[in-house]
Amino acid sequence: MPRKSFLMRRVKVNPPDEQTLRKYLLEWRTEDLYHNPGAFPRLTSEQLFGRAGPLSLEIGCSTGEYLCGLAQRNRSELFLGVDSNRKSLLAAVELGVSLGLDNIRFIKAPVQWLYPLFAPNSLHVVYIHFPDPSLHPKQRKRQILNRRLMDALHFALVPGGLLSFVTDNATLFDNILALVESDPRFRKTHSERYLEGFNPEVKSRYQLYWEQHGVPIKRVELARL
């Protein structure tokens, strides 16, 4: 079981009415994305929100605490969360509605099937925080941050746009650090090789869980050249 999924076992979700659900959550089937990607909107602020504005994407947003916190504090900006777990996304929608957010949307789909929908210079920030490590050889195809995603993000991020990666898994972090340090299309925004700790104003359910267990957190922030 993916590590984020086990945290959802005791979470109670009250699904919103159908009209609210349609507004906040797009549920796209993998087979449709594969066979007919042209039938889906591009991942841009104009296509998803009907208006222009800086768009930030969180890959693996889970129950949305971190992304909704950003959206609440930056209401002139737009935020998109992607995850493949429907129950998690229903909880994220419930949170967004409770905060009165009109600047956030969610997509249920594996992110790798969304790459054809990326548009050039459309994203300002991309967050990949606490992804499933997927370190076992049989699970590596599920690992989110890889060379193919780096290609897609270089295409979609505006020049100077940011990529934030955070994890509690030391082995995964070492792998990712080697990957990003070998990519000349991005540069670190900090002089340190990597940063320790992560203290946003609103922490995700997953971060709080691992902090309670004393697991150290590492992160790296990159800017697209």
Side-chain angles (χ1 to χ4, degrees), residues 14-30:
N14 298 310
D17 60 80
E18 285 299 319
Q19 182 177 356
T20 301
L21 193 61
R22 285 195 301 270
K23 174 182 177 180
Y24 282 94
L25 179 60
L26 301 169
E27 299 188 68
W28 295 343
R29 300 195 308 168
T30 299

Side-chain angles (χ1 to χ4, degrees), residues 4-5 7-16 20-21 24-25 27 61-69 81 83-101 104-108 204-206:
K4 286 187 177 179
S5 297
L7 288 180
M8 292 301 300
R9 288 181 297 181
R10 297 182 180 180
V11 175
K12 294 183 179 180
V13 178
N14 298 310
T20 301
L21 193 61
Y24 282 94
L25 179 60
E27 299 188 68
C61 65
S62 191
T63 46
E65 293 88 1
Y66 177 69
L67 196 65
C68 285
D83 205 285
S84 57
N85 186 297
R86 190 174 193 269
K87 185 178 180 182
S88 296
L89 290 172
L90 289 177
V93 169
E94 184 179 3
L95 178 59
V97 171
S98 71
L99 295 174
L101 301 178
I104 196 166
R105 298 290 185 273
F106 300 97
I107 294 176
K108 180 188 177 298
S204 69
R205 181 190 308 270
Y206 190 78

